[in-house]
Amino acid sequence: MDALAHPSAHAQPLLPGAVVRTATLDALRKLDPRLMVRNPVMFTVEVGSAFTTALFLHAVVTGRGDAPAGFILAVAAWLWFTVLFANFAEAVAEGRGKAQADTLRRARREVVATRLSAPSRDAPREDVPAARLRRGDVVWIEAGQIVPGDGEVVEGIASVDESAITGESAPVIRESGGDRSAVTGGTRVLSDWLVVRITAEPGQSFLDRMIGLVEGAKRQKTPNEIALDILLAALTLVFLLATATLLPFSVHAVRAAGAGAPVGLTVLVALLVCLIPTTIGALLSAIGIAGMDRMIRANVIATSGRAVEAAGDVDVLLLDKTGTITLGNRQAAAFLPADGVTERALADAAQLASLADETPEGRSIVVLAKERHGLRGRTLESGAVFVPFAAQTRMSGVDLGGRRVRKGAQDAIARFVAAEGGRVPDEVRLIAEGVARGGATPLVVAEGDRALGVVELKDVVKGGIKEKFAELRRMGIRTVMVTGDNALTAASIAAEAGVDEFLAEATPEMKLAHIRAWQAKGHLVAMTGDGTNDAPALAQADVAVAMHTGTQAAKEAGNMVDLDSNPTKLIQIVEIGKQLLMTRGALTTFSIANDVAKYFAIIPAAFGATYPVLGALDVMRLHSPASAILSAVIFNALVIVALIPLALRGIAYRPAPASTILARHALLYGVGGLALPFAGIKLIDLALAALRLV
Amino acid sequence: MTAAAYAEIAVFFAALTALAVPLGGFIARALAGEAPLVGRVLGPLERALYRVAGVDPAEEMSWRRYAASVLVFNAAGLLLLYALQRLQPALPLNPGRLAAVPGGVAINTAVSFVTNTDWQAYAGESTLSPLVQMAGLAVQNFLSAATGLAVLAALARGLGQRSKGALGSFWVDLTRGTLHVLLPLSMALALLLAGLGVVQSFGGEGRWPLREPARDASGRPVTEQVVPVGPVASQVAIKQLGTNGGGYYAANSAHPYENPTPLTNLAEALAILLVPAALCFTFGGWVGDRRQGWTVYAAMLAILVPLTIATVAAEQAGNPALAALGVDQRPGPLQAGGNMEGKEARLGPVDAGIWAAATTAASNGSVDAQHDSLTPLGGLWPMWLMQLGEIVFGGVGSGLYGMLLFVIVAVFVSGLMVGRTPEYLGKKIEAREIKLASVAILLPSAVVLGGTALACLVPAAAAAAGNPGPHGFSEILYAFSSTANNNGSAFGGLTADGPFWRRATNVAMLVGRYGVLVPVLAIAGGLARKRAAPPSAGTLPTHGPLFAGLLVATVLLVGALTFLPALALGPVVEHLQLHAR
C-alpha cells in the first residue's frame, strides 16, 4: 500500500515538513527568468525586484540614491520575498505530487520482458528490457513476473496484483477477450500466465502518464487558465501604464507646485507590484496543480487539466443504474403468498429453493426469510438434489425427499407446475403482474403442482442517492439513468432514485445517440463506462470516466480513469472541477479588490511632499510615507503566504444554485477583499512603527 | 443640494426611462425594416439605394468583411469631409464667403466627425459654411452614429442564438440605422426645437443693437452685434441624438440660438441619452431576453445617477473662495445660487450639472456651460465618466458595445466564482474573447494616460494649458479623456489648435474609435460561431440586481484603479487645495 493508494485513510497534513524543505529550495531554483516568463505577473515582479536591487546598489555606491538606501533595500527584499512566496506556492503544490510520483516510479522498475515472435504461447521467445518494447510487441508473463507494459491480453487467464496502481490489495482476474483484458505496466501477475500484446510506446504507458501528471512536469495550461492569464496580463499592463505615467505627471506637478521632488523609482516599482494581481498570479498555477492533486487523491487520474475544468461545466450526468444508483443486484423485498398459503410457508419454501443458490438474488431470499420469519439457513441432510439455474429451464430449486421446490420466472414455473399436473392460480398470476408493474421482478415459487406465491425482487436504491441527485439538480445538473431494464422497471427505479430522466433498454448505440442529442442542445455530458462497447460513447462525452477494471479501449476513449472503479465517483469529479474554477475566480476577485486600499496607502505617501493636501486621502493614518509604502508591499507579499493553504485545499464548496454561490463569494472575496487590506496594512504599519523599523 | 434639484434629476431620469423603453422596441423593428409607417414610407427608397449601390441586402458578412466595410466606408467619409472643407470657397451656399479651412484643422475636423467625437478645434460659425455644416458635418453626424448602431447590431447577432458565423450586412444596418432610425428621430426633434425657439434658417446672419456700445481693438465704436444664423435646429437635433456634440456655434448649447430656454435645455439633454438608453432595450429584444437589457440599463443608471447628483451637488455648493469674500451663493427666489462661473444665467447650476453629467456619460460632448469653470469635483465626475470608457450610455451603439466588453470581463470573473467556465448568453467566454476585450478596454485608457504623460513632458504641449498647477493638468487630462473616448467635449482653457494637439487628438480619436470597434467585431465573429448552451440553475445569471451590481463594481473598479493616481493629481488636489484655504 502506498501514499497514492488510500490517501484518505491516513489524511496527510497539508504541508508535510519534507515537502516544505524541498519546496523552499525549488522556490529559489524557479527564480530562473526563463521559467518565470511563463507567468507574466510574477515575471513583472521579478523584474521589479532586480530593478530595485540595482537602485539599492546605485544608492550605496554613489551615496545619492533615489531614496534612503535602507528603504530601497527593504522594498527590494520584500519584492524578492513576493516572488519567492509565489514560487514556493507552486513548488509546494508540485511537491505534494512528487511524493506520490516517487512511489509510482518504484513500480516502474527495470524489468526484463519475454518477447514472443508471434501472438502464441508456443512462439519462439527472447529476453528484452521492458523499456525497448514497442507497440504491437507480444510478451509472455508468468506468475511472479511484473507486467512490462500496458497491453491487451490475447491469451490466457491470470490473477494480477494491481495494488501499485489502484491501491486495491485484492488481486483481479485478467483474461483474453471480454471486458477484463487490459493489463497495466508495473502490476504483478500472481498466478498462471498471460500472453499480452503491448499497446503503449515506451514512455507513454499509463504509469508514465500518471507520473508525469502527478509531478506536474508535463502540465500544460488549461484553456481557462490561458484566458485568465491574458486577463491578468492585461491588468498588469493597465497598472504598468498607471504607474509609469505617474513619473511625468509628478514632474509636471512639481513644476506647477514648486514643491517636493518627482516621485522616486523605488516608490513607483513598489506601487506597481502592489497593484498588479500578484495574489492570483502567484497562486494560479498552484491552484491548478492542487486541483489535479485532489483528483488523484480521489483516486481519479485525469489525462489533462482540460478534463478537470470541463468537469466543472458538466450539466448532464449519464449514470449507469447498476452500481451507481442501485446496489449491484436485485434483492428480495417481500413474500407474497397465494390464497391459502401462509407467508411463512412461502418464505420457507423459497429459502429452501435458494439454499444452494449462490447468486446475490438467491442469498437475499435466504436473508429475507431469516429476517422476516426467523428461518435459519439450514444445512441440508444428504439426499437433497440441487437443481441449478439453467438458461433453458430458467428456474432453480431443490429436490428433497418427495418435495420438489422450484423458483423462477412466471412462465417457467407455469410450465413446471403444468408438468407436475397442476396449474398456477390466476391470483398468483395477478400478484406477479402487479409486482412487475411496480418495477420489480416477480419470482414465482412452486412446490410440486402447487404455486405457493411470489417473491418480489427489487432493485435497491443506494441510501442517500436521492438527496445527492436533488443537490445536483439545485446545482443545475441533470441526471440521466442508463439501464438495460425495460421502461416500466426503469421508470419505477428512476422515480425512487429521483433522477431527472432515464434511458431504458439502452444499447451502446443508444447511449451514443443520447449523448449527441444532449450536446446538440449545447449541454456538456459526463458519463462512466468500462466495456469496449462503451468506448464510442466515452469518446463522445465531454467528461468520460473509464473504470480502471475496464478494457484498454474504454480507458483510451475516456479522459479520466477511476482507479477505484466506482461509478458514483462522477459526482465527486464534478465537484472537484467546480471547486477548482471557484478557487480561481475567488482569488482573482480578492486580488483586484485589494488594490483600492493600496492606493490609499501609497498615493498620499508618494505625493505628500508635492501636495501636502493629499494627506486627506491617507484614511489609514499611517506612520510615515516610508512606512506606508513598506506596509503595503509587505501586506502584498504576506497575503500570498496566507492564502497558500486555501489555494491547495480549494475554497469551501457547498452545492447551491449559481446565484446563491455568486452572492456568497462576491461578498466574501469581493467586499472582504476590499476591506481586509485596510486593516492588514494598518496593522503592519503599527508593527513597523512599534519596532522602530521605519 | 436643494430638493428642487433632486426633483429635477428624478424627473429627468424618469422621463428618460419612459421614452427609452418604447424607443428601444421601435429601433429593433426599424433595423429589421419593419417600423410602422417609417418602414412603409422609406422602404422603397432603401431598396432603390441598394440597387444603385449594387448591394445585396441578404448578404451575410463574416466579421472581417463587416469590419473592412466599416473601415472603407469611414475612410471614404473622412476624405470627403476633408475635401469639402478645403474646397469651401469654390462651393455654393457660402454666404459669409469663408475661406478654405487650413489643412491641419480640416483633417482634425474630419477625423473628429467621422469617429463620432466632434472635438472642435475651430469655431463653427466663423469657419464653416452652411454647405459644409450640412453636407459635411451633419452627414457624418448621421453616418458615424449609424456606424456605431451597425456594429452593435453585429455584436448582438454574434451573441444571439442564431449562429453560423454570420453577422448580417453592414450596408443594410447602416442604411436602416440612418433612414429608419436617426432620420425620423431627428426630424421630430428638429421640429420640436424649432417650435421652441431654436433658429432654423438659411438667412445668413442676425444683427442686434448693443445696449452698451463698445469700441473694438482699434478704437472704432461697435454698436451692433452680428450673429451668423443657419440651419441650427436640424443640426442640433442630430448633434444631440447621434451622440455627436459638435455645435453649430462654438459656444455649443450654451448659445441662445442653439438652446434658448430651460425647456429646450431639457429636451436637448434628454436627447443626449435617449438613443443609447433605448439601445439597451433594443439589445434585450435582439438576444431574446428583455431582462438582459434592463440589467445593463440598470447598471448604467446605477453609475450615472449618483455621479449626476455628485456633479450637481458640487456645482450648487458654490465656491468656498467666494464664500470667504462674503458672497451669497445660496439658492433662492432671486438667484440660482451655487457656482455660476461659466454658466448661462437662464440655465443655472442644476441644468448645467445634469447636462455635464449626461454629455460625458454619453459620448456626446455638447455643452451648455463651460466645463473649465466647473468646481474641481463638478469637473472630476464628468471627466471620470469619460474615462470609464464612454460606456455608461456612451455613444450610439458604441456605448453599449463598450459596456458589453465589461460584461464579458465581469462574466469571466464571476462565472469562475460559481464554478463553471464562464459564458454569456450561453456563449463560452474563452481566451480569444478575453484577449480582444482586454485590448479594446486597454487601448483608450493607454492613450489617455500615455497622451497626458507625453503632454506633460513636451513643453509646447503643456504650455497650451490655460492654467498653471493642478487645473492645467486637469485640462490636459480632460482633453485626452475626451478625444480617446470619442466624447469631444472640451474642458476649455486649452489651446488645442497647435500641431501637437491636432496630431495627438487625431491619434487619440482614431485609436479610441477603431481600437475598440474592430476588436468588438472580432468578438462578434467568434461568438457567432459558438453554440449557445442552454441556461440551468448552475449557470451564472446575467440578469437581476446581483449581476448588475457586479457589472457596476467591475466598471468602477477598473476605472478607479486606472485613473485614480491621475485624478488625484488633478481635480482631487485642486478640490483639497480650494477647501484647505
Side-chain angles (χ1 to χ4, degrees):
Chain A
M1 190 115 346
D2 55 38
L4 169 69
H6 286 296
S8 47
H10 45 100
Q12 291 186 345
L14 198 60
L15 296 171
V19 168
V20 171
R21 275 188 297 280
T22 0
T24 311
L25 285 175
D26 278 351
L28 287 166
R29 203 173 40 75
K30 283 169 184 280
L31 285 176
D32 182 344
R34 284 166 301 179
L35 297 175
M36 291 296 296
V37 79
R38 264 171 61 93
N39 181 337
V41 178
M42 295 320 294
F43 183 67
T44 308
V45 182
E46 187 175 37
V47 172
S49 315
F51 186 67
T52 42
T53 309
L55 285 176
F56 165 69
L57 295 176
H58 172 258
V60 170
V61 173
T62 63
R64 299 176 283 111
D66 113 308
F71 172 73
I72 306 179
L73 179 65
V75 170
W78 278 100
L79 294 189
W80 281 115
F81 280 136
T82 311
V83 185
L84 285 173
F85 291 159
N87 289 350
F88 178 76
E90 190 181 67
V92 164
E94 286 171 355
R96 276 153 48 97
K98 273 208 185 84
Q100 298 170 343
D102 289 343
T103 323
L104 287 171
R105 211 173 263 119
R106 256 175 265 134
R108 200 180 54 179
R109 275 163 288 205
E110 264 316 302
V111 290
V112 174
T114 312
R115 186 160 66 187
L116 300 171
S117 59
S120 150
R121 63 180 300 200
D122 307 320
R125 304 172 178 191
E126 61 167 328
D127 285 350
V128 292
R132 294 244 301 274
L133 286 175
R134 312 291 306 199
R135 192 189 187 113
D137 284 350
V138 181
V139 293
W140 162 266
I141 312 159
E142 58 190 21
Q145 287 186 333
I146 302 275
V147 176
D150 293 0
E152 192 91 42
V153 178
V154 291
E155 201 182 334
I157 174 165
S159 60
V160 181
D161 170 13
E162 295 196 337
S163 61
I165 305 286
T166 63
E168 179 56 59
S169 53
V172 293
I173 299 296
R174 294 290 172 213
E175 59 187 328
S176 62
D179 289 348
R180 292 188 296 178
S181 62
V183 288
T184 311
T187 57
R188 181 191 294 273
V189 172
L190 293 178
S191 70
D192 307 287
W193 53 267
L194 294 172
V195 175
V196 169
R197 173 177 286 116
I198 298 296
T199 52
E201 293 289 349
Q204 310 206 330
S205 73
F206 187 67
L207 202 58
D208 292 315
R209 287 210 309 258
M210 247 175 101
I211 292 169
L213 281 166
V214 294
E215 276 192 321
K218 291 201 193 114
R219 215 178 78 84
Q220 287 185 328
K221 287 183 184 176
T222 62
N224 177 262
E225 244 176 318
I226 293 172
L228 185 52
D229 251 343
I230 292 171
L231 184 69
L232 297 181
L235 283 169
T236 306
L237 264 176
V238 166
F239 293 123
L240 193 61
L241 260 164
T243 43
T245 52
L246 268 181
L247 187 59
F249 293 175
S250 95
V251 169
H252 184 270
V254 169
R255 214 165 37 211
V263 61
L265 291 173
T266 312
V267 174
L268 283 183
V269 173
L271 178 60
L272 173 66
V273 170
C274 284
L275 293 178
I276 62 177
T278 46
T279 313
I280 180 67
L283 297 174
L284 183 57
S285 105
I287 293 170
I289 298 170
M292 292 285 267
D293 193 53
R294 276 197 296 280
M295 282 286 185
I296 290 164
R297 270 154 213 268
N299 258 0
V300 174
I301 306 294
T303 51
S304 69
R306 182 190 286 258
V308 181
E309 236 166 47
D313 281 352
V314 159
D315 53 3
V316 176
L317 292 187
L318 246 56
L319 299 166
D320 273 325
K321 183 198 80 176
T322 308
T324 312
I325 296 170
T326 61
L327 295 171
N329 296 285
R330 287 152 214 259
Q331 301 207 334
F335 297 109
L336 307 167
D339 283 348
V341 180
T342 62
E343 195 180 321
R344 191 184 166 88
L346 172 63
D348 181 67
Q351 194 189 42
L352 207 56
S354 308
L355 280 177
D357 184 351
E358 281 302 311
T359 64
E361 286 91 348
R363 274 197 301 247
S364 77
I365 292 174
V366 174
V367 169
L368 186 72
K370 184 174 118 190
E371 278 173 1
R372 291 273 174 88
H373 302 287
L375 296 167
R376 303 226 134 256
R378 293 146 279 191
T379 30
L380 291 166
E381 55 272 35
S382 57
V385 178
F386 294 107
V387 182
F389 179 86
Q392 292 80 23
T393 60
R394 292 174 57 217
M395 60 184 182
S396 63
V398 65
D399 292 345
L400 181 65
R403 299 176 71 185
R404 291 159 61 77
V405 187
R406 294 289 183 277
K407 68 177 201 295
Q410 196 188 332
D411 51 341
I413 294 295
R415 271 196 304 278
F416 169 76
V417 172
E420 297 282 313
R423 89 173 253 288
V424 175
D426 283 343
E427 101 247 10
V428 171
R429 212 179 296 276
L430 285 175
I431 294 171
E433 276 163 17
V435 167
R437 254 199 310 282
T441 308
L443 214 56
V444 182
V445 182
E447 183 170 353
D449 59 357
R450 217 154 75 92
L452 299 176
V454 175
V455 180
E456 184 182 10
L457 289 182
K458 266 179 93 167
D459 264 315
V460 180
V461 171
K462 281 188 177 176
I465 199 88
K466 189 164 188 166
E467 291 69 31
K468 197 84 209 170
F469 290 155
E471 212 170 71
L472 287 170
R473 200 169 304 115
R474 280 201 299 281
M475 288 158 59
I477 298 173
R478 304 175 62 88
T479 44
V480 180
M481 181 181 84
V482 179
T483 171
D485 293 341
N486 64 44
L488 209 62
T489 312
S492 142
I493 298 167
E496 190 179 346
V499 294
D500 297 301
E501 272 180 46
F502 62 87
L503 191 62
E505 295 175 72
T507 60
E509 295 76 36
M510 278 172 67
K511 257 197 215 179
L512 183 62
H514 198 71
I515 294 174
R516 287 208 173 124
W518 279 111
Q519 287 172 336
K521 283 185 270 172
H523 293 276
L524 257 78
V525 184
M527 71 168 285
T528 57
D530 51 4
T532 301
N533 56 17
D534 281 333
L538 281 170
Q540 180 72 34
D542 300 283
V543 172
V545 185
M547 301 291 105
H548 186 67
T549 51
T551 59
Q552 194 66 30
K555 280 196 241 175
E556 287 192 356
N559 45 20
M560 291 188 195
V561 176
D562 178 18
L563 298 177
D564 294 341
S565 303
N566 170 9
T568 321
K569 199 66 83 55
L570 204 48
I571 297 167
Q572 202 179 342
I573 289 172
V574 169
E575 290 181 354
I576 291 174
K578 284 200 179 291
Q579 197 187 25
L580 168 76
L581 294 172
M582 283 179 190
T583 309
R584 249 181 228 163
L587 290 184
T588 305
T589 307
F590 182 83
S591 195
I592 299 169
N594 266 211
D595 283 356
V596 176
K598 294 169 189 165
Y599 264 137
F600 281 98
I602 296 185
I603 295 287
F607 297 99
T610 311
Y611 293 126
V613 287
L614 280 175
L617 295 183
D618 178 17
V619 291
M620 286 170 273
R621 301 278 148 223
L622 300 174
H623 180 256
S624 69
S627 144
I629 292 162
L630 258 183
S631 303
V633 172
I634 294 174
F635 175 84
N636 193 53
L638 290 183
V639 84
I640 295 174
V641 181
L643 289 174
I644 288 178
L646 186 72
L648 294 184
R649 209 181 288 123
I651 64 173
Y653 171 81
R654 263 165 272 148
S659 49
T660 316
I661 295 178
L662 182 60
R664 191 170 61 220
H665 290 166
L667 190 70
L668 203 57
Y669 298 96
V671 180
L674 211 60
L676 182 73
F678 282 100
I681 291 173
K682 178 69 185 173
L683 282 176
I684 295 171
D685 175 75
L686 286 174
L688 288 179
L691 298 171
R692 300 187 185 285
L693 288 174
V694 283
Chain B
M1 212 173 123
T2 58
Y6 278 113
E8 190 174 334
I9 293 172
V11 167
F12 179 78
F13 285 106
L16 177 69
T17 310
L19 290 170
V21 175
L23 182 61
F26 169 81
I27 294 176
R29 297 178 66 182
L31 280 183
E34 293 164 358
L37 196 65
V38 177
R40 193 130 29 93
V41 175
L42 295 171
L45 173 61
E46 182 194 340
R47 284 187 288 276
L49 282 175
Y50 296 149
R51 270 195 299 279
V52 170
V55 166
D56 169 16
E59 182 183 1
E60 288 284 359
M61 293 183 172
S62 68
W63 80 263
R64 285 171 205 279
R65 186 161 163 73
Y66 205 105
S69 308
V70 172
L71 294 178
V72 167
F73 180 75
N74 280 194
L78 201 152
L79 286 177
L80 183 70
L81 184 50
Y82 174 76
L84 277 173
Q85 295 178 71
R86 299 291 287 158
L87 299 174
Q88 181 167 267
L91 296 170
L93 256 182
N94 185 1
R97 296 177 197 288
L98 298 169
V101 181
V105 174
I107 292 178
N108 191 255
T109 305
V111 168
S112 166
F113 277 77
V114 168
T115 56
N116 196 250
T117 311
D118 295 25
W119 169 265
Q120 292 166 296
Y122 61 92
E125 65 270 41
S126 56
T127 315
L128 301 174
S129 69
L131 179 84
V132 176
Q133 292 260 18
M134 287 191 304
L137 302 190
V139 166
Q140 283 308 323
N141 277 350
F142 277 98
L143 296 181
S144 63
T147 299
L149 203 55
V151 172
L152 175 67
L155 178 60
R157 285 187 198 113
L159 278 167
Q161 312 300 301
R162 180 192 84 133
S163 47
K164 300 275 180 283
L167 302 179
S169 162
F170 171 64
W171 308 118
V172 173
D173 291 337
L174 179 79
T175 311
R176 291 199 180 139
T178 311
L179 275 187
H180 297 214
V181 178
L182 296 171
L183 208 56
L185 277 179
S186 20
M187 278 173 71
L189 183 64
L191 285 174
L192 176 71
L193 291 179
L196 291 174
V198 177
V199 170
Q200 176 76 11
S201 145
F202 287 120
E205 55 193 34
R207 293 178 170 271
W208 304 97
L210 289 181
R211 282 174 191 265
E212 290 175 36
R215 290 181 182 280
D216 70 4
S218 47
R220 280 173 302 203
V222 179
T223 56
E224 62 176 8
Q225 187 178 14
V226 181
V227 185
V229 295
V232 180
S234 55
Q235 200 93 342
V236 168
I238 187 61
K239 157 195 128 184
Q240 300 301 93
L241 286 168
T243 58
N244 293 292
Y248 195 91
Y249 298 98
N252 212 300
S253 281
H255 197 290
Y257 283 2
E258 277 200 36
N259 184 14
T261 65
L263 196 57
T264 55
N265 190 73
L266 175 68
E268 289 180 20
L270 279 173
I272 291 175
L273 292 173
L274 185 59
V275 179
L279 285 174
C280 294
F281 303 106
T282 311
F283 175 75
W286 274 334
V287 299
D289 184 356
R290 292 184 192 286
R291 297 172 304 179
Q292 304 292 341
W294 275 100
T295 303
V296 174
Y297 182 73
M300 289 181 175
L301 275 192
I303 296 173
L304 182 55
V305 173
L307 292 186
T308 305
I309 293 174
T311 307
V312 171
E315 290 312 298
Q316 214 172 35
N319 187 335
L322 288 177
L325 298 173
V327 176
D328 179 13
Q329 299 180 77
R330 281 169 307 177
L334 296 177
Q335 63 172 16
N339 170 33
M340 281 300 289
E341 183 192 318
K343 292 192 180 62
E344 284 292 294
R346 67 183 188 284
L347 300 175
V350 178
D351 280 359
I354 293 175
W355 186 297
T359 195
T360 49
S363 78
N364 189 288
S366 63
V367 291
D368 73 352
Q370 179 67 289
H371 284 193
D372 199 23
S373 299
L374 296 172
T375 58
L377 286 187
L380 167 71
W381 304 122
M383 192 171 351
W384 197 42
L385 274 167
M386 294 189 292
Q387 290 165 342
L388 293 180
E390 285 303 359
I391 52 164
V392 179
F393 295 102
V396 170
S398 63
L400 186 52
Y401 69 60
M403 185 54 124
L404 290 174
L405 295 173
F406 276 89
V407 169
I408 286 177
V409 172
V411 156
F412 186 79
V413 176
S414 42
L416 281 180
M417 277 201 288
V418 305
R420 273 167 75 103
T421 60
E423 58 200 18
Y424 181 50
L425 301 176
K427 306 261 174 148
K428 282 265 176 265
I429 303 302
E430 290 164 305
R432 183 171 183 273
E433 286 74 34
I434 290 296
K435 192 191 301 172
L436 291 164
S438 299
V439 166
I441 291 174
L442 200 69
L443 275 179
S445 301
V447 172
V448 174
L449 289 175
T452 308
L454 192 65
C456 284
L457 295 177
V458 176
N467 295 69
H471 193 74
F473 179 75
S474 295
E475 288 170 356
I476 296 171
L477 183 62
Y478 192 103
F480 278 104
S481 302
S482 170
T483 49
N485 290 298
N486 301 130
N487 179 280
S489 68
F491 209 39
L494 183 79
T495 317
D497 57 358
F500 172 88
W501 282 101
R502 278 202 319 265
R503 287 179 197 139
T505 53
N506 283 348
V507 171
M509 290 186 285
L510 289 171
V511 172
R513 181 71 165 179
Y514 302 104
V516 180
L517 184 151
V518 175
V520 163
L521 283 173
I523 289 176
L527 289 176
R529 281 192 296 273
K530 293 188 185 187
R531 209 199 325 255
S536 77
T539 317
L540 169 78
T542 52
H543 56 81
L546 181 61
F547 185 75
L550 284 166
L551 179 58
V552 169
T554 307
V555 169
L556 295 186
L557 209 56
V558 170
L561 294 179
T562 313
F563 291 103
L564 204 129
L567 290 172
L569 294 179
V572 174
V573 162
E574 202 188 340
H575 170 77
L576 292 170
Q577 286 180 337
L578 187 63
H579 286 264
R581 279 187 197 138

